[in-house]
Amino acid sequence: MAHDTTSRHDAPAPGVPEPGTAPAGTIAEGTVPADTGAADGRLDRELAGLDALELGGAARGRALQRAWSAVWPIITAVLIALLAWQAVVWSGWKPSYVLPGPKDTLPVLWDHVTTSSFWSAVGLTMRRALIGYAVSVAFGVVIGALVSQFRVLRRAFGSLITGLQTMPSIAWFPLAIMLFKLSESAILFVVVLGAAPSIANGLIAGVDYTPPILLRAGKVMGLRGPNLYRHLIMPASLPSFVAGLKQGWAFAWRSLMAGELLVIIGSTTSLGVLLSQARELNDAPGMISYMIVILIVGIVIDQLFGVVDRAIRERWGLDD
């Protein structure tokens, strides 16, 4: 009698899993638990949050570092200037009513900046400065563009522009007063003559130093006439042009201060008029306080030009 041994030998032993099945409590190969995807998503989100936190902190740190690197030299220079000023006062070189120290001058400066009349005078001075500088930029750009493009004009007026740039602005005031009397036009006339030559020379220098290979490339690409100047020469000469604009502002500011000291128009009050009145009244603390305000305005404008210059250098890859 035949015995059926197949079922006896093929039956799994107790506790042994059937072939092709995974033991209890284990994960079959090629399968993913249902909660693993959610865990990975949470992990990715947490890592992304940590990265964002780290990058945000690094960005804030860099911003603070840049701000501090820009501020601390100015603070140091101010402290050194105040210390030197006080040292001169302590030396007894001049009596205190002629050369007061910081402790006598700074409170007077604070009293001035808290009055509306002072800010009205500052507003008038800045309005004159901006109008004169804008007119100077217009004349300087036109003159510089023409002289840089035409050799005949370069030979005729190149040296004249440089001569006008080196001429002291105060030397123009007698002529300005004869032409325009004591008026705003007299001040504007001298401001433009003081600033426009520097702006024109800055543009001329930028055009002169434009690499010839760029000019040849522009002509090959079909740039001619105004398009060549607009799309190639002006961008290439921008660094030198900005330097000319900065120098032009310095000449305009100096010319304006000289003009406001010499040309007093009716009852108008400006920084120059306040400075002149303080001198006439022998008010040394007030006079020095107005000089400090004029210096601060010059420093602020210089910082603005510095921001533009750094932006250009970064765009051109010249600043790390």
Side-chain angles (χ1 to χ4, degrees), residues 78-149:
V78 170
L79 293 177
I80 292 174
L82 291 176
L83 182 60
W85 178 11
Q86 186 61 54
V88 173
V89 174
W90 283 335
S91 69
W93 176 55
K94 294 293 182 180
S96 59
Y97 64 86
V98 175
L99 182 62
K103 67 182 181 64
D104 297 324
T105 303
L106 296 181
V108 175
L109 174 61
W110 175 254
D111 292 338
H112 289 327
V113 300
T114 54
T115 60
S116 59
S117 59
F118 168 80
W119 290 109
S120 298
V122 173
L124 176 59
T125 297
M126 294 307 300
R127 180 175 62 82
R128 289 173 174 172
L130 294 177
I131 293 175
Y133 185 65
V135 176
S136 301
V137 170
F139 276 100
V141 169
V142 172
I143 294 172
L146 292 175
V147 171
S148 63
Q149 291 300 302

Side-chain angles (χ1 to χ4, degrees), residues 35 69 88 91 118 131 143 195 213 237 292 295 297:
D35 59 344
S69 64
V88 173
S91 69
F118 168 80
I131 293 175
I143 294 172
I213 190 172
S237 62
I292 292 173
L295 176 63
V297 172

Side-chain angles (χ1 to χ4, degrees), residues 19-62:
T21 62
T26 63
I27 301 175
E29 183 179 358
T31 61
V32 179
D35 59 344
T36 302
D40 290 342
R42 287 196 301 271
L43 180 60
D44 291 340
R45 288 193 296 272
E46 291 173 358
L47 291 175
L50 291 175
D51 291 340
L53 182 61
E54 182 178 357
L55 292 175
R60 287 192 295 271
R62 287 193 297 269

Side-chain angles (χ1 to χ4, degrees), residues 231-250:
H231 296 290
L232 193 148
I233 295 177
M234 280 298 293
S237 62
L238 194 57
S240 296
F241 182 49
V242 171
L245 290 174
K246 183 177 180 180
Q247 189 178 38
W249 165 259

Side-chain angles (χ1 to χ4, degrees), residues 15-318:
V16 178
E18 296 182 3
T21 62
T26 63
I27 301 175
E29 183 179 358
T31 61
V32 179
D35 59 344
T36 302
D40 290 342
R42 287 196 301 271
L43 180 60
D44 291 340
R45 288 193 296 272
E46 291 173 358
L47 291 175
L50 291 175
D51 291 340
L53 182 61
E54 182 178 357
L55 292 175
R60 287 192 295 271
R62 287 193 297 269
L64 292 175
Q65 184 178 3
R66 286 195 298 268
W68 174 245
S69 64
V71 169
W72 78 261
I74 299 176
I75 295 176
T76 304
V78 170
L79 293 177
I80 292 174
L82 291 176
L83 182 60
W85 178 11
Q86 186 61 54
V88 173
V89 174
W90 283 335
S91 69
W93 176 55
K94 294 293 182 180
S96 59
Y97 64 86
V98 175
L99 182 62
K103 67 182 181 64
D104 297 324
T105 303
L106 296 181
V108 175
L109 174 61
W110 175 254
D111 292 338
H112 289 327
V113 300
T114 54
T115 60
S116 59
S117 59
F118 168 80
W119 290 109
S120 298
V122 173
L124 176 59
T125 297
M126 294 307 300
R127 180 175 62 82
R128 289 173 174 172
L130 294 177
I131 293 175
Y133 185 65
V135 176
S136 301
V137 170
F139 276 100
V141 169
V142 172
I143 294 172
L146 292 175
V147 171
S148 63
Q149 291 300 302
F150 299 99
R151 293 184 179 180
V152 175
L153 295 179
R154 171 74 65 90
R155 293 173 182 173
F157 297 105
S159 299
L160 178 61
I161 294 173
T162 303
L164 291 175
Q165 181 180 355
T166 58
M167 188 171 179
S169 58
I170 197 171
W172 289 105
F173 275 102
L175 176 62
I177 293 173
M178 288 183 62
L179 293 175
F180 302 103
K181 308 303 179 182
L182 297 178
S183 64
E184 297 284 345
S185 298
I187 298 177
L188 180 63
F189 176 76
V190 176
V191 170
V192 172
L193 284 176
S198 297
I199 297 171
N201 269 338
L203 181 57
I204 293 170
V207 173
D208 288 345
Y209 285 97
T210 301
I213 190 172
L214 289 181
L215 297 176
R216 289 195 294 268
K219 292 178 180 179
V220 169
M221 296 175 64
L223 293 177
R224 296 289 188 277
N227 287 331
L228 177 66
Y229 204 88
R230 175 186 175 186
H231 296 290
L232 193 148
I233 295 177
M234 280 298 293
S237 62
L238 194 57
S240 296
F241 182 49
V242 171
L245 290 174
K246 183 177 180 180
Q247 189 178 38
W249 165 259
F251 279 101
W253 187 240
R254 291 166 57 183
S255 302
L256 177 61
M257 289 299 102
E260 289 188 344
L261 287 172
L262 296 175
V263 181
I264 300 177
I265 305 170
S267 60
T268 58
T269 302
S270 60
L271 278 176
V273 172
L274 293 176
L275 184 62
S276 178
Q277 291 176 351
R279 179 189 59 82
E280 293 173 356
L281 297 173
N282 292 325
D283 181 12
M287 184 175 62
I288 295 176
S289 66
Y290 294 131
M291 293 173 63
I292 292 173
V293 173
I294 295 171
L295 176 63
I296 290 174
V297 172
I299 293 173
V300 170
I301 300 299
D302 178 76
Q303 291 297 312
L304 294 178
F305 276 109
V307 171
V308 175
D309 182 67
R310 285 192 296 272
I312 294 174
R313 292 177 63 85
E314 289 178 0
R315 182 177 180 84
W316 283 45
L318 300 176

